[in-house]
Each structure stands twice: as structure tokens, then as C-alpha cells.
Amino acid sequence: MRSLADRAVAFADAHPAISLVTPRDPSKRAGLLAFRTADPQASSVRLADAKVAHAVREGCVRIAPHFYNTPDELDAALALL
């Protein structure tokens, strides 16, 4: 799962319109990834339409990739942000 979180960090770094709220330091990260987008509600609608489990809390979109998620699944979810 750490590799998936690292992948999400790299995605946020490559997309200036998306801010990673989750700590970058792997030793301080949990399984939850939080992102700030220009429009969290619109991001949520896109994720929901694609059946991606997520939550919107405190202005952030949160996802929790698990060990059984593939990198392709995570990439698809991140692209919807």
C-alpha cells in the first residue's frame, strides 16, 4: 500500500491544481489520502459516478487505497480529481 500512497504523492506533485493534504513523510502517513481540489464537490460527483469509494471532509477529497487495489485503479481514481 505504501507504493500506492507514494504514487498518489507523485500524482499531486505533477498536478499543481491538486494539493496533497496527507503528510508526505511515509512514517507519518496512514492509509487515508486527502487531496484539496479546486472543486471538491465536483470531484466527488465524478468519483461517485465511477463507483470510487471516497469521502469529502473539511474541503478535502479522501480516498483509502488498500493492498488489493492496483496501480491502474488508483491512477483512474486520481484522474477523476
Side-chain angles (χ1 to χ4, degrees):
M1 184 177 88
R2 181 173 167 183
S3 65
L4 291 178
D6 290 342
R7 194 175 189 95
V9 170
F11 177 86
D13 288 345
H15 294 85
I18 298 171
S19 301
L20 180 72
V21 178
T22 301
R24 290 181 176 285
D25 181 349
S27 69
K28 296 181 180 175
R29 262 191 242 143
L32 191 68
L33 302 171
F35 301 90
R36 187 161 285 121
T37 65
D39 188 342
Q41 294 306 321
S43 297
S44 178
V45 168
R46 288 190 298 274
L47 289 165
D49 287 348
K51 310 260 189 276
V52 174
H54 70 287
V56 176
R57 300 280 189 275
E58 298 180 18
C60 296
V61 177
R62 300 184 335 179
I63 60 174
H66 297 281
F67 67 92
Y68 54 81
N69 289 118
T70 67
D72 288 342
E73 289 170 333
L74 178 63
D75 290 346
L78 293 172
L80 296 169
L81 294 177

